[in-house]
Amino acid sequence: MLGESDVRLTAWVHGHVQGVGFRWWTRSRALELGLTGYAANKADGRVQVVAQGPRDACERLLDLLEGGNTPGQVDKVISDWSEPADAIAGFTER
């Protein structure tokens, strides 16, 4: 159930982030933060992370994605903030 203060974070993670457990790691962090959404490999080598929930939890996830302690090697993260869209059940790897 979406709350009044909920947001949607869409983050495009650039670097060596496929085949290194990055989506699993992201899913684990997002679930710890109580977020819903998904992490998906893209054909160009990026991982797209979509997370919905309280803004502070989404900001914490973004900090973790940018923090340097991820699997693989993150070169940069491009983030976009928006209103939450349809509710997403759980947090999945795609």
Side-chain angles (χ1 to χ4, degrees), residues 19-33:
V20 293
F22 187 86
R23 291 177 302 152
W24 177 89
W25 180 90
T26 300
R27 177 180 177 269
S28 297
R29 302 295 80 76
L31 290 172
E32 289 169 1
L33 291 165

Side-chain angles (χ1 to χ4, degrees), residues 32-54:
E32 289 169 1
L33 291 165
L35 299 171
T36 62
Y38 59 88
N41 282 343
K42 294 300 176 182
D44 63 5
R46 297 180 298 175
V47 170
Q48 179 191 25
V49 177
V50 174
Q52 288 189 165

Side-chain angles (χ1 to χ4, degrees), residues 15-87:
H16 179 61
V17 290
Q18 291 190 9
V20 293
F22 187 86
R23 291 177 302 152
W24 177 89
W25 180 90
T26 300
R27 177 180 177 269
S28 297
R29 302 295 80 76
L31 290 172
E32 289 169 1
L33 291 165
L35 299 171
T36 62
Y38 59 88
N41 282 343
K42 294 300 176 182
D44 63 5
R46 297 180 298 175
V47 170
Q48 179 191 25
V49 177
V50 174
Q52 288 189 165
R55 184 171 189 100
D56 61 340
C58 286
E59 288 175 351
R60 179 72 184 122
L61 180 62
L62 182 58
D63 288 344
L64 290 167
L65 294 174
E66 296 172 333
N69 291 321
T70 65
Q73 172 66 46
V74 174
D75 294 334
K76 67 178 175 179
V77 180
I78 307 297
S79 59
D80 180 55
W81 296 93
S82 60
E83 294 294 315
D86 295 337

